[in-house]
Amino acid sequence: AASFASLSATAADLPGKHPAYLHALTDLRAARWNLEHRAGDAAVSSNEDVAVTEIDKAIGEAKRAAADDGKNIDDHPGEDAALDRPGRLHHAMELLHKAHDDVHREEDNPETRELRNRIDRHIDTAMEATKRAIHDIEQGR
């Protein structure tokens, strides 16, 4: 029984068909933090609220996908993005792009493919809202 338990624990740590979900989760969490901790006006904040809502949905789906793939969702690898541009919105956008790249990989399992597509749509919507927030700031709105 002890051998089986240790074998099961080891198998859960092995990379599955889609090991990048954990990296996507880290980047999504960091993007969410950047959006929530930026002072701004109401117009920008409403776009940030949309982005945060979509990120929350993507996080929920990515957790399920990672768990389905046998990943430990409590494992938090470092974020993939480096802060190239000033400001939390730009950093959030960079993190969302990284999460999109992590999630958007070939998927053989049709059930997992649909889950991946839902995550992808939430991330895309969050990126659009973040892009609108950045545009509003650049236009002085």
Side-chain angles (χ1 to χ4, degrees):
S3 297
F4 179 74
S6 68
L7 184 60
S8 294
T10 303
D13 293 334
L14 293 174
K17 292 183 180 182
H18 212 310
Y21 283 125
L22 294 179
H23 286 283
L25 278 167
T26 296
D27 291 337
L28 288 167
R29 288 176 181 124
R32 186 183 197 288
W33 187 92
N34 277 278
L35 289 165
E36 284 190 317
H37 290 88
R38 194 199 70 77
D41 59 28
V44 175
S45 293
S46 67
N47 287 318
E48 291 168 332
D49 290 344
V50 170
V52 167
T53 298
E54 292 300 320
I55 289 170
D56 285 345
K57 291 175 184 177
I59 286 171
E61 300 279 14
K63 281 181 176 180
R64 188 165 44 159
D68 287 351
D69 206 27
K71 303 295 180 283
N72 177 0
I73 62 171
D74 294 322
D75 182 16
H76 298 281
E79 70 180 54
D80 291 334
L83 186 56
D84 290 339
R85 297 186 62 170
R88 294 185 197 272
L89 286 177
H90 289 290
H91 190 56
M93 181 62 85
E94 185 178 344
L95 289 160
L96 289 168
H97 279 289
K98 293 290 187 177
H100 181 272
D101 291 346
D102 286 338
V103 169
H104 204 300
R105 302 208 180 165
E106 186 176 336
E107 191 64 71
D108 295 333
N109 182 341
E111 290 177 34
T112 307
R113 191 177 308 133
E114 179 54 35
L115 185 56
R116 183 219 41 212
N117 291 343
R118 287 195 309 266
I119 296 166
D120 196 34
R121 285 190 297 270
H122 291 305
I123 293 172
D124 286 346
T125 304
M127 286 192 300
E128 284 301 315
T130 303
K131 189 184 304 182
R132 286 191 305 272
I134 290 169
H135 178 74
D136 287 348
I137 288 173
E138 289 172 348
Q139 298 301 313
R141 296 182 194 166

